[in-house]
Amino acid sequence: MLFSGRRRKVNLNAQSELYEHAVQFYVQPPLENISLNEFETFAVERLKLLKTIETLGVSYVKLSEQYKKKLESESKNLNFPYRSETDDRKIPPGGLSECEKRRKDHISHFILRLAYCQTVHNPYREELRRWFIQQEVDLFRYRFSELHSKQKLEFLHRNNLQYDAISAEEKSELQRELIDSTYGVSGITVEQQDFYKVPFQDALDLVRTRKVYLRAGYAYIPHQDIVTIVLNDFRTRLSKALALTARSLPAVHSDERLQPLLSHLSHAYVGQDYSVQKNVGKFSLEQVDSLSGKSFPLCMRQLHQSLRENHHLRHGGRMQYGLFLKGIGLSLEQALQFWRSEFVKGKVDADKFDKAYAYSVRHMFGREGKRTDYTPYSCMKVILSNAPGQGDHHGCPFRHSDPELLKQKLQVYKVPPSGISQILELVKGMHYQLACQKYFELTHNVDDANFSLSHPNQYFIESQKILGGGKDLKREADVPQRSQEAAGGLAEMSEDLDSFFQDG
Amino acid sequence: MPSNVFDSANLPDLLPLYYRRLFPFSLYYRWLTYGGLQKNYFQNREFSFTLKDDIYVRYQSFSTQTELEKEMQKINPYKIDIGAVYSHRPIQHNTVKSGTFQALEKELVFDIDMTDYDDVRSCCSAADICCKCWTLMTIAIRILDRALREDFGFQHLLWVYSGRRGVHCWVCDEAARKLSVAARSAVAEYLSLVKGGDETVKKVVLTDPIHPFIRESLAVVEKYFTQYAIHDQDILGQKESVEKVLALVPEDILLKELQQDFQNERKPENRWTQIRNQAIKKQGAAKKGQHFEKEIMLQYCYPRLDVNVSKGVNHLLKSPFSVHPKTGRISVPIDLEELDSFDPFAVPTISLICEELDRPRRGEEDEKLDDTKENEKDAAERRKIRDYKRTSLAKYVKHFDQFLAQMAQSWKGDLLKKSDLQKQF
């Protein structure tokens, strides 16, 4: 992207040539000049699209019918391209033509690159960068999957993506293995399509899920899964491009119109991160037991209970629970006391605790090592990363428990049978956060929780509001739900962004 | 007769002897330089030491073998861990601008720990192991070794006994050392079949068709299952353990049938046959849960990996030839040719090998003549080689040497190319 004053008139013809295809590899940055207003709207709307992608990815199987339907309607709403054909005959009044949508797609992608490339030396920003790449990859996956096979081939040609197909002999020799290992192929489909042999590092998604045949370090990918390799290319290029963009950032930093906007954009993916401790010391350690029954989400309640029972938690549990407790306002001193007093009841004596565990508690509070102030885990993180293993109690109970055990647990916690079956139904549909929200509604006796759950600490705060934290409730109600109308001055603009990110 | 009994109170006396006369420094250095193909590969490697009273020292690094040797002989670490190769010398990690100090490469490592099998072994729990449950480690090594070689194409796998209750694998191929975090975690996940913590009863779920990797793994489990699970662990003998197995049967009707069958049948082998027969019957009929007997076998025997250890490039892992401070056993490389007869209790302790050193020497006179011809440093080096050869450590060091020789073969070609380029004929 150019920030110097170079002007270039883009005529309509050139534009339609530039945006001839619905799916882009984003090789060329946009060269035209755009208004600050457009800059902001484009960026915010793409961010909104990426957030939708993230949410959909947790609630639905990627590329399932529902997933695609929702993504299509969100793309439509936000005026992003969603069809592979250009069809400009029916532009709704005030809407954008397909070509304009593609332009918006192009430009907004590059704006967010600017916002998310700054990660140097900061794990939190590093996580943001990874988040951005992941959502862009998922968006690309969806769009690529919507292309007809002819368009896909065209896309590969246009972008110079060539892969080696195996010979017919090799294919027939490996037929049984290919059928048994490749997702959704039968004898006939094996014969009909090409298989590409690529280093397994280029098809990690298929390797991870064991949906491909592996031999001697090579993955055998059927043409129908070629998207995997293309995606891998997309991811690698984007990752490299971000690193390059980061180097040119000083130029952007010196632009005082863009800098605050970009920094807002990049921070804005999880809403609140709950690392700011407003309530330090609000609760005493004696209250934790009763709070865990009343206001903790199930995951934390489960961790608390097993900590009390076993006087120990393994690393994954200590991190998930420890950071949550930090988020609800435990001070470092309280946290040390909390963990120590529980661990010494088990096999760990005070001396061993101080040597082996106290460090990690201080680490969580950013007092050791890299001195990063770690943020409590969001639902997304709990659900998607570091699944519990033998002896672990962390993770999301709705995601990581057997339905039968979950049912028993809910019965013990006196959730009414009708509620339990509703919850189990949601779990079956993989709507883990909705299941948790249902659990919230049932245990707090409200019909509609009135918030969209994305964080264990949010659960806690909402619960406290209902259980008598009237003060908090009022403060929150003062914040009006602002719309996204474009604002004039920059100060107002950032405020608007804030409100957008808060209700997201 | 030297004994293998170890008392941790003796460590401060034994360690100096071990590091001075027995630790195979030169092979160790040869390993971690990887033929010198990459500059500063050894120099930028992190070592970390655990000293007496659990004092932990991270980010140590050394420029030469001698420097490493001297330091280890000076501080006599209770435990040695190996970390990543970094962008800078780890010892200087505080002096470089934060963020630029980064872990670049490391062997792909696997850590299998017996405690992760606690829900499926009845003989011991936690840190305890016995010959019965050790079979689990044998199975784990067989399955992973095959997959890493045949599926992923790696060749240089060093399997090491951890010294107490598990095994480690160091995949030393260049391609493995260069893997990204994402690739490491993909490999680890490909290799993980047992999923779920204490809140999950059924930890293995298979879908049809069965992936060749799982088929191969099952073939390994088959070989050990009857002896190990049915006889040694007796999983179909006692009421309690039978119930645990039956909890993995997918359907109520099937479960009732099996419960009835078991009423009239006490012999564990026959009970297992009944389960198999039910499964075979099922395979003709229904789609779902048709592989339940395989799922049971895998849940009881399939290797349980600590995925987090494999994922991180900067994760530390206990070094081969480090002493286990609790058991005194040396972390020795395991020769897969003799895997089935590998006995963790026969692995020498530091007490044993130090005692063996004190036994009277034989054949010393003949060699003395040669010694005088060499300079003193060589003589010292050779004395050390002779030292470990007189102990039970010898065969493990020999195996390590063979492993390194094989690896050296693979980069011979690279070295030739390099020298051709430099025109040094």
Side-chain angles (χ1 to χ4, degrees):
Chain A
M1 189 170 283
L2 276 180
F3 297 97
S4 56
R6 182 140 79 98
R7 311 243 157 194
R8 188 179 160 202
K9 188 149 170 91
V10 182
N11 64 40
L12 215 69
N13 243 344
Q15 211 178 66
S16 58
E17 198 176 289
L18 186 59
Y19 299 119
E20 199 179 330
H21 304 280
V23 182
Q24 303 191 39
F25 231 44
Y26 306 111
V27 181
Q28 292 293 332
L31 294 168
E32 55 180 304
N33 284 311
I34 63 167
S35 70
L36 258 188
N37 230 337
E38 207 172 26
F39 188 94
E40 183 215 347
T41 343
F42 278 14
V44 169
E45 291 186 353
R46 189 179 193 89
L47 193 58
K48 211 163 178 185
L49 184 66
L50 295 186
K51 279 180 116 176
T52 309
I53 287 167
E54 183 191 32
T55 324
L56 290 176
V58 176
S59 311
Y60 303 99
V61 177
K62 280 174 195 169
L63 302 190
S64 63
E65 276 314 306
Q66 275 171 307
Y67 177 90
K68 290 206 253 189
K69 232 173 92 190
K70 301 235 162 171
L71 198 46
E72 183 185 321
S73 83
E74 185 71 10
S75 302
K76 215 184 222 166
N77 285 341
L78 293 169
N79 270 320
F80 279 102
Y82 59 93
R83 280 169 309 184
S84 48
E85 312 281 357
T86 347
D87 179 13
D88 281 348
R89 274 165 297 180
K90 290 173 278 179
I91 305 171
L96 301 178
S97 74
E98 201 58 28
C99 184
E100 284 166 323
K101 285 180 187 170
R102 289 172 187 175
R103 172 178 166 265
K104 173 177 175 180
D105 179 57
H106 183 215
I107 294 174
S108 63
H109 170 86
F110 276 92
I111 298 176
L112 291 198
R113 273 197 192 181
L114 282 176
Y116 283 95
C117 69
Q118 308 163 268
T119 64
V120 196
H121 325 326
N122 182 335
Y124 175 62
R125 306 216 55 138
E126 175 57 30
E127 200 178 307
L128 292 174
R129 191 184 69 97
R130 260 187 260 138
W131 177 88
F132 170 67
I133 295 178
Q134 186 57 47
Q135 310 319 319
E136 283 286 340
V137 166
D138 282 346
L139 175 63
F140 181 85
R141 186 201 319 266
Y142 157 73
R143 287 178 176 169
F144 190 80
S145 77
E146 292 290 279
L147 296 178
H148 309 308
S149 55
K150 205 176 135 228
Q151 291 172 318
K152 281 184 191 167
L153 277 178
E154 264 174 35
F155 179 86
L156 297 181
H157 281 298
R158 199 170 59 244
N159 291 292
N160 258 335
L161 302 169
Q162 284 169 343
Y163 308 106
D164 292 332
I166 61 171
S167 68
E169 293 87 63
E170 194 173 2
K171 199 159 74 177
S172 69
E173 190 191 313
L174 294 175
Q175 190 170 26
R176 184 180 167 202
E177 275 75 18
L178 292 176
I179 294 172
D180 285 352
S181 56
T182 315
Y183 193 65
V185 300
S186 63
I188 308 156
T189 45
V190 165
E191 269 173 38
Q192 280 171 349
Q193 61 184 325
D194 276 340
F195 274 76
Y196 306 98
K197 188 174 161 182
V198 301
F200 80 88
Q201 290 93 327
D202 293 345
L204 292 179
D205 284 340
L206 293 175
V207 171
R208 189 191 317 277
T209 49
R210 229 180 280 115
K211 281 177 179 163
V212 68
Y213 179 57
L214 269 190
R215 195 169 75 166
Y218 288 92
Y220 291 71
I221 296 170
H223 184 76
Q224 64 186 33
D225 283 340
I226 199 161
V227 61
T228 316
I229 336 178
V230 180
L231 276 176
N232 181 65
D233 252 339
F234 182 81
R235 183 191 291 272
T236 321
R237 286 181 196 209
L238 181 53
S239 178
K240 278 191 191 143
L242 285 178
L244 277 174
T245 315
R247 276 190 232 157
S248 61
L249 256 193
V252 186
H253 267 200
S254 58
D255 189 326
E256 56 190 28
R257 299 164 307 162
L258 299 183
Q259 210 281 325
L261 179 57
L262 289 174
S263 119
H264 260 295
L265 282 169
S266 66
H267 275 296
Y269 90 105
V270 274
Q272 224 176 319
D273 68 10
Y274 299 96
S275 63
V276 190
Q277 296 154 50
K278 293 179 199 132
N279 308 320
V280 179
K282 187 175 168 192
F283 301 109
S284 69
L285 288 182
E286 287 71 44
Q287 285 172 283
V288 175
D289 278 319
S290 80
L291 284 172
S292 81
K294 284 186 302 193
S295 288
F296 282 16
L298 201 52
C299 54
M300 300 303 168
R301 192 170 178 181
Q302 174 174 302
L303 282 167
H304 183 75
Q305 202 177 348
S306 53
L307 174 65
R308 288 284 194 236
E309 275 165 17
N310 308 323
H311 314 298
H312 191 269
L313 276 183
R314 296 180 30 147
H315 179 75
R318 293 201 302 273
M319 288 301 284
Q320 183 178 329
Y321 189 40
L323 289 170
F324 169 79
L325 289 175
K326 178 179 130 179
I328 71 170
L330 243 56
S331 66
L332 172 60
E333 289 67 33
Q334 282 180 309
L336 280 169
Q337 198 193 335
F338 175 77
W339 292 104
R340 185 187 286 115
S341 66
E342 200 57 49
F343 273 47
V344 295
K345 286 184 204 150
K347 284 188 197 150
V348 177
D349 60 43
D351 194 39
K352 169 115 196 254
F353 180 89
D354 289 340
K355 269 180 195 141
Y357 298 98
Y359 178 90
S360 72
V361 176
R362 284 196 299 273
H363 196 258
M364 262 187 245
F365 281 76
R367 310 286 170 87
E368 297 279 359
K370 276 187 291 195
R371 312 214 158 231
T372 311
D373 206 356
Y374 286 89
T375 53
Y377 293 173
S378 67
C379 292
M380 223 60 97
K381 178 150 181 153
V382 171
I383 292 172
L384 294 176
S385 61
N386 193 21
Q390 176 59 37
D392 281 334
H393 298 273
H394 68 263
C396 168
F398 300 100
R399 168 70 183 86
H400 298 116
S401 300
D402 276 351
E404 202 44 46
L405 285 181
L406 178 63
K407 190 171 153 189
Q408 286 171 22
K409 187 163 287 168
L410 292 171
Q411 280 164 348
V412 173
Y413 291 157
K414 308 235 162 42
V415 178
S418 64
I420 294 181
S421 52
Q422 278 177 300
I423 289 178
L424 291 177
E425 207 45 48
L426 288 166
V427 167
K428 216 167 138 195
M430 303 201 297
H431 307 294
Y432 310 116
Q433 284 157 294
L434 293 180
C436 189
Q437 201 156 337
K438 184 92 246 138
Y439 169 78
F440 180 94
E441 288 163 10
L442 291 164
T443 47
H444 290 80
N445 256 326
V446 290
D447 287 336
D448 187 354
N450 254 330
F451 62 93
S452 142
L453 181 65
S454 64
H455 203 294
N457 289 82
Q458 177 194 15
Y459 184 106
F460 178 80
I461 290 170
E462 294 292 341
S463 167
Q464 285 292 299
K465 268 192 219 165
I466 289 181
L467 298 176
K471 227 168 41 191
D472 285 349
L473 196 68
K474 221 165 134 201
R475 190 177 56 83
E476 209 62 27
D478 286 342
V479 181
Q481 300 261 323
R482 276 186 240 176
S483 67
Q484 310 281 308
E485 284 161 43
L490 188 70
E492 274 173 82
M493 192 165 86
S494 340
E495 262 181 69
D496 260 2
L497 278 171
D498 268 345
S499 72
F500 163 64
F501 299 135
Q502 265 167 20
D503 66 39
Chain B
M1 186 61 198
S3 89
N4 215 355
V5 179
F6 165 77
D7 179 357
S8 61
N10 295 335
L11 264 183
D13 297 330
L14 298 171
L15 285 168
L17 195 60
Y18 178 64
Y19 289 125
R20 214 174 57 241
R21 295 180 58 188
L22 292 168
F23 191 93
F25 282 107
S26 79
L27 294 183
Y28 195 70
Y29 178 77
R30 199 197 305 162
W31 171 34
L32 295 172
T33 43
Y34 286 99
L37 294 177
Q38 266 171 279
K39 227 180 130 205
N40 289 332
Y41 213 68
F42 179 81
Q43 287 74 7
N44 290 355
R45 171 79 75 159
E46 176 187 0
F47 294 86
S48 84
F49 300 124
T50 309
L51 311 180
K52 198 169 181 289
D53 298 324
D54 288 334
I55 294 166
Y56 199 57
V57 205
R58 272 201 74 172
Y59 297 122
Q60 301 300 297
S61 63
F62 305 94
S63 35
T64 59
Q65 180 190 330
T66 324
E67 206 180 298
L68 171 77
E69 232 173 300
K70 283 209 172 117
E71 180 68 9
M72 275 171 50
Q73 287 163 355
K74 193 175 100 200
I75 62 172
N76 296 306
Y78 275 45
K79 182 166 160 261
I80 308 159
D81 287 291
I82 299 182
V85 177
Y86 283 82
S87 51
H88 302 77
R89 296 189 181 209
I91 196 100
Q92 299 168 342
H93 75 285
N94 277 329
T95 64
V96 297
K97 199 166 156 240
S98 90
T100 54
F101 179 70
Q102 274 168 346
L104 302 178
E105 294 189 14
K106 200 188 66 184
E107 293 76 9
L108 170 63
V109 295
F110 296 94
D111 180 9
I112 307 151
D113 192 317
M114 199 72 91
T115 41
D116 292 330
Y117 291 86
D118 275 2
D119 61 326
V120 290
R121 54 183 188 141
S122 53
C123 49
C124 335
S125 69
D128 296 329
I129 58 161
C130 67
C131 296
K132 281 182 186 173
C133 50
W134 187 255
T135 309
L136 287 168
M137 291 297 140
T138 311
I139 297 173
I141 294 175
R142 291 257 183 255
I143 288 177
L144 298 176
D145 193 72
R146 188 213 63 78
L148 288 166
R149 286 175 199 276
E150 293 175 13
D151 299 1
F152 289 97
F154 297 126
Q155 291 173 18
H156 305 293
L157 277 61
L158 184 66
W159 286 95
V160 181
Y161 170 52
S162 77
R164 181 148 75 161
R165 59 190 179 196
V167 293
H168 301 154
C169 177
W170 298 77
V171 187
C172 300
D173 296 61
E174 190 182 349
R177 283 180 271 132
K178 292 188 186 318
L179 288 178
S180 66
V181 173
R184 282 164 207 261
S185 84
V187 175
E189 274 171 51
Y190 177 90
L191 296 172
S192 302
L193 277 181
V194 185
K195 302 244 162 97
D198 286 3
E199 324 295 327
T200 319
V201 176
K202 200 164 169 57
K203 296 179 184 173
V204 180
V205 178
L206 298 180
T207 51
D208 207 51
I210 292 186
H211 191 281
F213 160 73
I214 298 176
R215 209 165 58 212
E216 297 281 349
S217 305
L218 270 166
V220 175
V221 175
E222 288 274 1
K223 277 189 217 142
Y224 295 90
F225 190 76
T226 313
Q227 181 61 43
Y228 163 73
I230 306 296
H231 291 284
D232 295 349
Q233 295 290 344
D234 197 23
I235 62 169
L236 290 173
Q238 298 302 311
K239 191 167 174 277
E240 209 177 298
S241 57
V242 171
E243 273 170 12
K244 261 174 107 177
V245 176
L246 289 182
L248 305 175
V249 174
E251 270 171 47
D252 293 352
I253 314 161
L254 211 63
L255 182 64
K256 285 215 182 81
E257 274 179 48
L258 278 170
Q259 275 165 340
Q260 251 162 29
D261 291 350
F262 283 11
Q263 297 266 308
N264 312 317
E265 181 57 72
R266 300 261 151 229
K267 264 185 107 182
E269 294 103 304
N270 296 346
R271 284 180 166 181
W272 179 244
T273 314
Q274 285 171 336
I275 290 184
R276 288 213 135 157
N277 289 340
Q278 287 285 6
I280 291 167
K281 239 167 66 192
K282 189 109 206 306
Q283 264 143 39
K287 268 250 148 184
K288 223 181 154 198
Q290 53 175 327
H291 298 298
F292 76 90
E293 97 285 15
K294 300 189 184 74
E295 291 166 349
I296 293 173
M297 289 169 75
L298 293 172
Q299 175 148 353
Y300 275 84
C301 297
Y302 189 83
R304 301 177 171 205
L305 299 174
D306 187 338
V307 176
N308 290 319
V309 175
S310 306
K311 266 186 198 168
V313 180
N314 57 357
H315 210 292
L316 294 156
L317 190 65
K318 185 163 181 272
S319 161
F321 297 103
S322 175
V323 180
H324 196 292
K326 293 262 161 46
T327 63
R329 292 211 162 77
I330 313 291
S331 251
V332 291
I334 302 173
D335 184 356
L336 293 208
E337 303 274 304
E338 293 168 16
L339 178 60
D340 285 316
S341 58
F342 181 86
D343 175 4
F345 298 103
V347 168
T349 61
I350 186 170
S351 324
L352 175 75
I353 52 175
C354 288
E355 219 176 304
E356 284 169 337
L357 263 187
D358 293 337
R359 277 184 298 185
R361 311 168 184 220
R362 263 169 294 156
E364 187 118 305
E365 299 305 310
D366 312 341
E367 288 175 42
K368 227 165 203 168
L369 274 171
D370 299 336
D371 277 359
T372 50
K373 293 175 193 161
E374 311 281 341
N375 65 42
E376 257 187 41
K377 201 182 159 207
D378 278 357
E381 186 56 41
R382 288 183 43 198
R383 190 170 335 110
K384 198 150 117 202
I385 293 171
R386 278 205 319 274
D387 275 345
Y388 79 74
K389 281 195 174 158
R390 293 190 295 117
T391 71
S392 329
L393 199 60
K395 71 169 187 182
Y396 303 102
V397 177
K398 195 175 154 208
H399 174 62
F400 189 46
D401 192 15
Q402 285 163 349
F403 170 79
L404 294 177
Q406 260 177 31
M407 207 158 51
Q409 287 290 329
S410 75
W411 61 62
K412 233 177 181 171
D414 293 343
L415 277 177
L416 273 176
K417 243 185 264 161
K418 217 173 167 184
S419 73
D420 279 359
L421 282 174
Q422 292 168 346
K423 298 214 176 354
Q424 294 171 340
F425 296 105

